[in-house]
Amino acid sequence: MSEGTETREPMSAPDDGLAGRNALVTGGSRGIGRAIVERLAAAGMDVTFTYLGNEAAAHELVSAHPGRKITAVRVDARDSEAARRCVEDLVERVGTLDVLVNNAGVIRDNLLPLLEDDDLRDVFSTNIEGVFHFCRAAVPFMMSKRYGRIVNISSVSAEKGGRGQSNYAASKGAINS
């Protein structure tokens, strides 16, 4: 070793209390959701994530992390019964739900006079109702264990929507509220 050079032990990851716990991430197959799934799994959590349309991305995420407890489930967040079944099946499979991350969301940007009713309906039913459906399904299990964490993913658009984002900004503002 040359003078002035020191060797250090690699830093160990801090114990963040996640190892051995169970998480559900909605909209977890791509983007921010995928990063959340990967981070929670790396921390030692058993992670179940939902996806809706991109089955290939969901399977790729699961297969990219052999040895990690990652499970993909196709669920439409807009469907309250599907959300309830998803949470109940998860708890039956792993015993508890400790962390819920509501990440599922859609964007249907367009200028206000050009927005179609379906653009508004799709954004609100996914971005607002989907969060409500999963929270309502998860909270009883968390309350019975007297433990649980819920993270609802929002957007800077909630505070200052961009051009053509009136429906999206309103949906994320509702989440912040």
Side-chain angles (χ1 to χ4, degrees), residues 27-31 34 49-63 71-76 78 105-106:
S29 63
R30 298 177 291 137
R34 179 183 173 125
F49 71 90
T50 69
Y51 69 97
L52 181 58
N54 196 333
E55 187 171 359
H59 289 301
E60 192 281 322
L61 172 55
V62 172
S63 63
T71 305
V73 181
R74 183 188 301 261
V75 177
D76 187 343
R78 300 171 294 184
V106 298

Side-chain angles (χ1 to χ4, degrees), residues 65-120:
H65 300 282
R68 302 263 190 228
K69 296 177 185 174
I70 301 175
T71 305
V73 181
R74 183 188 301 261
V75 177
D76 187 343
R78 300 171 294 184
D79 182 341
S80 64
E81 182 61 20
R84 184 192 60 75
R85 277 193 318 271
C86 175
V87 170
E88 287 178 356
D89 290 350
L90 183 151
V91 171
E92 185 176 311
R93 182 172 46 85
V94 299
T96 187
L97 175 58
D98 301 303
V99 176
L100 167 63
V101 179
N102 282 304
N103 177 68
V106 298
I107 298 173
R108 302 284 186 271
D109 289 353
N110 209 342
L111 297 177
L112 182 60
L114 303 176
L115 279 174
E116 299 288 332
D117 290 346
D118 285 343
D119 296 331
L120 190 66

Side-chain angles (χ1 to χ4, degrees), residues 84-170:
R84 184 192 60 75
R85 277 193 318 271
C86 175
V87 170
E88 287 178 356
D89 290 350
L90 183 151
V91 171
E92 185 176 311
R93 182 172 46 85
V94 299
T96 187
L97 175 58
D98 301 303
V99 176
L100 167 63
V101 179
N102 282 304
N103 177 68
V106 298
I107 298 173
R108 302 284 186 271
D109 289 353
N110 209 342
L111 297 177
L112 182 60
L114 303 176
L115 279 174
E116 299 288 332
D117 290 346
D118 285 343
D119 296 331
L120 190 66
R121 206 173 355 264
D122 287 347
V123 169
F124 283 11
S125 63
T126 302
N127 298 5
I128 300 171
E129 292 176 30
V131 169
F132 179 78
H133 296 324
F134 275 96
C135 286
R136 181 174 57 185
V139 163
F141 293 104
M142 292 176 172
M143 289 175 67
S144 73
K145 297 289 186 182
R146 298 176 95 44
Y147 180 87
R149 303 294 186 261
I150 298 175
V151 178
N152 296 322
I153 304 297
S154 184
S155 169
V156 296
S157 294
E159 302 297 322
K160 185 178 188 305
R163 181 182 173 136
Q165 289 191 322
S166 57
N167 57 351
Y168 180 74

